[in-house]
Amino acid sequence: MLQPIAFVRSIPDSFAGALTRAEPASAIDVTAARHQHAQYVACLGGGGFEIEHIETPPAFADGPFIEDAAVLLIGTLLLTRPGAPSRRGEAAGVGEALADRFEICSIESPGTLEGGDVLRVGGRIYVGNSSRTNDDGIQQLAAVAAELGIETIQVPVLDSLHLKSVITALDDETLIAAPGYFDPGVFAGLRVLWVQGASEVNVLTLPDGRILIPASKRTVQEVVGAEGYEVVTVDVSEFEKADGGLTCLSLRTNDG
Ligand code: GLY
């Protein structure tokens, strides 16, 4: 089996001005963010990903959140059109860096889509209809996915940045989610572990089966560990100040 690749983006000085839904208690420390990012990348590498780096142009403060800029669907790379206007140019550099490996297509106006709203579970894609991703963007994604034989299911999301701020997958049968942000009936047939609070449940399953969880999310670590999964932790507090989680910091071929 091919080793999965995780594409990650560098942290520009402008990351200090990354978008935030609420003013953080302290300003983003870019030096600390770079250190934490290196630790995060080491965890991905230690868990079985091959790592590839893509430069972030200085103009894109939120560029390190590479998952929002593109969605991998088998051999196709769908460049997104983020709902946040300041993020609209991020996808171009990802497309240029990866054009020789994937067939490239794009979400076109008036569609908006951010990869943080795209959750792959088994053979299906669940897409959050959030403040960043609209109906038109979801329809465009669904059309590309349908050509590849992948079913897309729309999930209206209330009061959360992204769908994956409130639900992620531990494996093809098990999800971890925060109650109150979406209709749980959408995920009928799958097992869901519930933990209160938006941005608590963004975890990343490593190729070796261990679950990477932010150091700050103690309850999630306990819940996941109690289910028999091996837990790995990493401090991403500087990214949490910018509403970032673990999945949005990489674009992974095993998600496609
Ligand atoms: N800072 C991540 C975002 O708001 O898009």
Side-chain angles (χ1 to χ4, degrees), residues 15 17-21 28 61-62 65 68 82 84 86-87 90 114 132 161-162 239-245 248:
F15 183 65
L19 295 173
T20 57
R21 277 158 57 94
I28 293 171
D62 286 281
F65 300 122
D68 292 325
S86 66
R87 302 196 60 183
E90 289 176 21
E114 297 191 4
R132 298 284 182 87
L161 176 58
H162 290 133
F239 299 94
E240 289 168 345
K241 290 177 183 176
D243 306 320
C248 57

Side-chain angles (χ1 to χ4, degrees), residues 81-83 88 107-108 110-114 132-134 136-138:
R81 183 169 179 273
R88 294 256 159 94
I107 297 290
E108 306 295 343
T112 64
L113 181 81
E114 297 191 4
R132 298 284 182 87
T133 293
N134 66 16
D136 192 279
I138 294 173

